[in-house]
Amino acid sequence: MRLLDIFLLSLSHVKKSRMRSWLTIVGVIIGVASVVAIISIGQGCRKMCSRGLAASGADIITVIPGYFRATGVHSECIPTGL
C-alpha cells in the first residue's frame, strides 16, 4: 500500500470511531501534562532546598553519629567552623 492509502484508511477509522479518538487524545494530553507537572514540582523542590542551604551560609555539612532529641541539642555537639 502506498503512504497516501494508509493515511486515508487511518483517517476513515478515526472518523468512524469518534469517541475512541477523543478519549485517546484526552488521555495523551493528560499524560503529558502530568509528567510535565511532576518534573516541574521536582525541580522546584530541588531549587528550594538549594536556596535554603545557601541561605544558611554553610558550604560543608557535618554529620555526627549519635542520638539527639528533637527539642534540643546534645551537650557534646561541637559547632562546625571552630
Side-chain angles (χ1 to χ4, degrees), residues 6-52:
I6 294 171
F7 179 73
L8 292 175
L9 181 65
S10 63
L11 190 61
S12 69
H13 283 291
V14 169
K15 286 181 181 179
K16 287 180 184 176
S17 58
R18 289 183 183 179
M19 181 62 83
R20 182 183 293 179
S21 301
W22 281 109
L23 288 175
T24 303
I25 291 170
V26 169
V28 169
I29 291 172
I30 290 173
V32 169
S34 64
V35 169
V36 169
I38 289 172
I39 291 173
S40 299
I41 290 170
Q43 288 179 351
C45 289
R46 183 181 302 152
K47 286 183 181 181
M48 187 176 68
C49 289
S50 296
R51 286 181 188 162

Side-chain angles (χ1 to χ4, degrees), residues 43-81:
Q43 288 179 351
C45 289
R46 183 181 302 152
K47 286 183 181 181
M48 187 176 68
C49 289
S50 296
R51 286 181 188 162
L53 288 174
S56 67
D59 53 347
I60 297 176
I61 298 174
T62 304
V63 178
I64 302 171
Y67 179 75
F68 294 97
R69 292 187 181 266
T71 58
V73 178
H74 194 271
S75 63
E76 295 178 11
C77 181
I78 301 170
T80 59

